[in-house]
């Protein structure tokens, strides 16, 4: 059903939309699951039906609208909001949609409804009904699909954008979904929040070791990426030297200018500054340790005194100090 | 990188012109190419077969000029000015710009004295004007001018055409870089392991101490049953204080 799109539109998807959709899905899923597990454990009669329902609701489908701007051939999807979908008729709540649209128009006058979103692994036939329903708001709406199944082997984002195209199948012109490619756009605020989520520290505040490990792991992966890219360059140059690849002078010039920036930190001034800062950090750590130790000693002595004080009042030993 | 993009069209244009003409007409093409304000790359033009044919003919001077602009500096020109035709002021400027690029190849910090010597400039003001207007605004060099220490720190310099031997040294530098980053990755992993083992040891130590405290508590509470009220008070106090001690 999905081939690649030929409309020539370029899509830009903002990170906020993806976060919104996944948040919606997670919320709905976590709200649905606990009540079901409690009912299925109590009654065995309803077990089959609730098991069936539970299975269906293990992966609830959530629906919503995506809004954004279309300038010429570029479609930029900025934001999204949720919608209620009636599962029996497979239609969206129209009045709610219009109310939300009005509200968003007041805040963002430039944004139009560009399409709708849902979760699932693949586009289905029933989605076409909703798609057609939205066609009176926007002549060619977009369908953004998020696959909530976590697949560690998959490297790309599990988000696909479908457009609808009129294809002639078996002599009948039909609307089918075709996949389109998209790029991710981020605004500064989005970048900060995505970065924050990516660097989640363990929530108990961890010991110093876990925080250090987390920080070092971040650096490790960054250097690993750099390493792999330099390896590619190296391979390319070796190939050029052997003569397998024709010499491309422009690239060679760029590589030589890049290599000229190395060694990046070897001047004497850097060494001086670096050692000074290193020594300062060590000194401060040492000082903090000292203070800690002396306060603990103070406490020990106080307690010892208290203990032996009581003894002496009963006619026992004298105080330690 | 932007310079390469800016130059790409110019290079194509000149290569087409060079391959279309031959002999002395090429001379004018070469002069035009070397005086063009935005063109700094000449190896593509050198590679055009009609240009290579100039070798050994009457017009080999132009080939020499092209080679000079591709790999040489202003001092090369001055020392052998006999073997090159007279350069127009545009070409002189370009050659000086290329000289700055070559100097930036070897050192990151270029002292003003060396620059003034290489570029035939007598005072600092002129040198700085040259660096700012002709090099930085054009975009071939980025860096900081330090007047107090009289040096020019280069942060970025565009690449010149490669000499045939330079490819080997570039590959060597790249492999060194790779080796260094591999070592760094390994040492980071070791550090992470070290941090984990240290935290394990620390937890074990804490647990041991707490176990000992529990044992002492238990032994004292046993003693409590066998003593009179007054001593009980003291041992109670002692127990509480020993608990605080090992906190």
């Amino acid at each position: 059903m999905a081939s690649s799109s030929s409309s020539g539109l370029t899509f830009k998807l903002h990170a906020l939309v993806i976060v919104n959709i996944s948040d919606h899905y997670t919320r709905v899923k976590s709200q649905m699951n606990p009540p079901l597990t409690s009912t299925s454990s109590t009654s065995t009669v309803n077990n089959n039906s609730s098991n069936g329902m539970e299975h269906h609701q293990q992966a609830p489908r959530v629906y919503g609208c995506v809004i954004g701007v279309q300038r010429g051939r570029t479609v930029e999807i900025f934001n999204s909001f949720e919608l209620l979908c009636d599962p029996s008729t497979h239609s969206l709540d129209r009045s709610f949609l219009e109310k939300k649209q009005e509200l968003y128009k007041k805040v963002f006058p430039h944004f139009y409804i560009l399409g709708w979103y849902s979760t699932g692994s693949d586009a289905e036939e029933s989605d076409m009904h909703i798609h057609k329903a939205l066609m009176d708001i926007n002549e060619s709406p977009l369908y953004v699909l998020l696959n909530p199944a976590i697949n560690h082997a998959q490297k790309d984002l599990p988000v696909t954008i479908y457009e609808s195209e009129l294809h002639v199948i078996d002599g009948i012109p039909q609307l089918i979904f075709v996949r389109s490619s998209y790029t991710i756009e981020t605004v500064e605020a989005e970048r900060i929040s995505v970065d924050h989520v990516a660097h989640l520290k363990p929530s108990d505040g961890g010991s110093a070791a876990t925080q250090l490990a987390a920080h070092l792991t971040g650096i490790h992966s960054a250097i690993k990426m750099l390493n792999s890219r330099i390896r590619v360059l190296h391979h390319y140059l070796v190939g050029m030297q052997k003569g397998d690849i024709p010499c491309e002078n422009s690239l060679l010039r760029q590589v030589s200018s890049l290599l000229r920036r190395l060694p990046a930190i070897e001047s004497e001034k850097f060494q001086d500054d670096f050692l000074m800062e290193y020594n300062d950090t060590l000194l401060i750590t040492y000082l903090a340790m000292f203070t800690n130790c002396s306060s603990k000693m103070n406490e020990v002595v106080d307690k010892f005194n208290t203990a032996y004080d009581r003894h002496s009042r009963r006619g026992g030993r004298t105080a330690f100090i | 990188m932007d310079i390469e993009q800016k130059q790409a069209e110019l290079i194509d244009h000149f290569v087409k012109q060079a391959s279309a003409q031959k002999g002395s007409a090429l001379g004018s093409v070469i002069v035009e190419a070397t005086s063009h304000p935005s063109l700094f790359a000449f190896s593509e033009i050198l590679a055009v077969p009609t240009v290579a044919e100039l070798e050994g003919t009457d017009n080999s001077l132009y080939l020499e000029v092209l080679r000079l602009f591709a790999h040489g500096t202003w001092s090369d020109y001055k020392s052998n000015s006999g073997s090159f035709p007279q350069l127009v002021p545009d070409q002189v400027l370009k050659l000086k710009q290329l000289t700055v690029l070559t100097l930036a190849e070897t050192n990151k910090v270029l002292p003003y004295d060396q620059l003034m010597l290489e570029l035939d400039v007598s005072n600092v003001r002129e040198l700085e004007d040259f660096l700012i207007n002709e090099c930085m605004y054009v975009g071939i060099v980025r860096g900081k001018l330090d007047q107090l220490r009289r040096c020019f720190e280069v942060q970025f310099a565009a690449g010149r055409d490669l000499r045939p031997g330079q490819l080997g040294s570039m590959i060597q530098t790249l492999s060194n870089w790779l080796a260094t980053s591999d070592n760094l990755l390994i040492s980071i992993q070791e550090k992470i392991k070290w941090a984990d083992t240290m935290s394990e040891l620390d937890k074990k130590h804490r647990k041991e101490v707490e176990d000992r405290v529990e044992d002492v508590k238990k032994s004292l509470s046993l003693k409590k049953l066998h003593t009179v009220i007054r001593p009980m008070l003291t041992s109670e106090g002692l127990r509480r204080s020993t608990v605080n001690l090992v906190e």
Side-chain angles (χ1 to χ4, degrees), chain A residues 265-276:
Chain A
I265 42 174
E266 219 181 72
S267 71
E268 201 183 285
K269 193 163 164 293
F270 170 75
Q271 285 283 58
D272 288 341
D273 286 341
F274 176 63
L275 285 176
M276 203 148 66

Side-chain angles (χ1 to χ4, degrees), chain B residues 13-14 17 26-37 39 91:
Chain B
H13 167 75
F14 279 114
Q17 270 197 332
L26 269 181
S28 55
V29 174
I30 292 178
V31 170
E32 203 189 317
T34 48
S35 5
H36 198 283
L39 182 62
Q91 286 177 310

Side-chain angles (χ1 to χ4, degrees), chain B:
Chain B
M1 313 302 148
D2 342 298
I3 310 154
E4 291 299 327
Q5 280 164 344
K6 277 190 244 168
Q7 287 188 111
E9 295 169 13
L10 288 172
I11 296 177
D12 284 334
H13 167 75
F14 279 114
V15 165
K16 275 197 214 105
Q17 270 197 332
S19 36
Q21 305 179 7
K22 284 173 98 77
S24 40
L26 269 181
S28 55
V29 174
I30 292 178
V31 170
E32 203 189 317
T34 48
S35 5
H36 198 283
S38 318
L39 182 62
F40 295 96
F42 303 102
S43 35
E44 281 93 346
I45 307 179
L46 263 178
V48 174
T50 49
V51 170
E53 277 171 24
L54 282 180
E55 182 82 49
T57 65
D58 301 328
N59 295 316
S60 66
L61 274 183
Y62 291 110
L63 185 61
E64 287 300 312
V65 167
L66 199 58
R67 283 218 189 98
L68 173 72
F69 271 78
H71 304 135
T73 64
W74 176 245
S75 3
D76 292 340
Y77 172 71
K78 272 194 301 180
S79 42
N80 309 349
S81 48
S83 46
F84 301 117
Q86 194 61 26
L87 293 181
V88 292
D90 281 340
Q91 286 177 310
V92 170
L93 180 64
K94 167 132 320 191
L95 194 54
K96 289 190 178 175
Q97 286 171 318
L98 292 170
T99 311
V100 173
L101 282 182
T102 316
L103 286 176
E105 251 176 59
T106 39
N107 295 328
K108 292 193 78 179
V109 177
L110 300 169
Y112 278 2
D113 299 321
Q114 188 190 8
L115 278 172
M116 288 202 286
L117 195 65
E118 290 281 335
L119 296 174
D120 250 354
V121 172
S122 45
N123 61 344
V124 174
R125 176 69 199 222
E126 223 180 285
L127 175 70
E128 288 184 348
D129 279 341
F130 174 73
L131 281 176
I132 295 173
N133 292 329
E134 317 306 341
C135 300
M136 296 213 233
Y137 282 172
V138 176
I140 52 174
V141 162
R142 276 201 287 272
K144 291 190 184 165
L145 292 164
D146 189 339
Q147 218 178 43
L148 185 62
R149 279 187 290 140
R150 291 170 65 89
C151 56
F152 175 45
E153 289 175 26
V154 183
Q155 281 159 359
F156 160 76
R160 279 196 77 173
D161 299 309
L162 283 185
R163 259 177 265 259
Q166 271 181 306
L167 188 59
S169 62
M170 279 196 344
I171 295 182
Q172 185 61 35
T173 317
L174 270 180
S175 28
N176 286 347
W177 197 2
L178 271 181
T180 317
S181 59
D182 283 333
N183 288 341
L184 189 60
L185 283 177
I186 295 176
S187 48
I188 289 181
Q189 272 172 332
E190 277 175 24
K191 262 279 168 333
I192 296 177
K193 257 189 275 180
W194 173 84
D196 285 335
T197 34
M198 290 308 280
S199 85
E200 284 296 310
L201 284 176
D202 188 56
K203 265 191 230 154
K204 252 194 341 200
H205 179 72
R206 247 176 232 273
K207 199 163 160 302
E208 273 174 32
V209 169
E210 273 172 29
D211 286 342
R212 271 173 51 199
V213 168
E214 286 298 322
D215 290 340
V216 171
K217 268 199 225 174
K218 275 188 216 140
S219 65
L220 282 176
S221 58
L222 285 176
K223 268 197 223 157
K224 192 169 99 173
L225 298 171
H226 295 95
T227 54
V228 195
I229 306 278
R230 212 175 49 168
M232 186 180 84
L233 277 175
T234 55
S235 63
E236 179 96 287
L238 187 64
R239 189 167 37 109
R240 251 185 272 127
S241 53
T242 43
V243 169
N244 287 341
L245 247 170
V246 290
E247 216 166 59

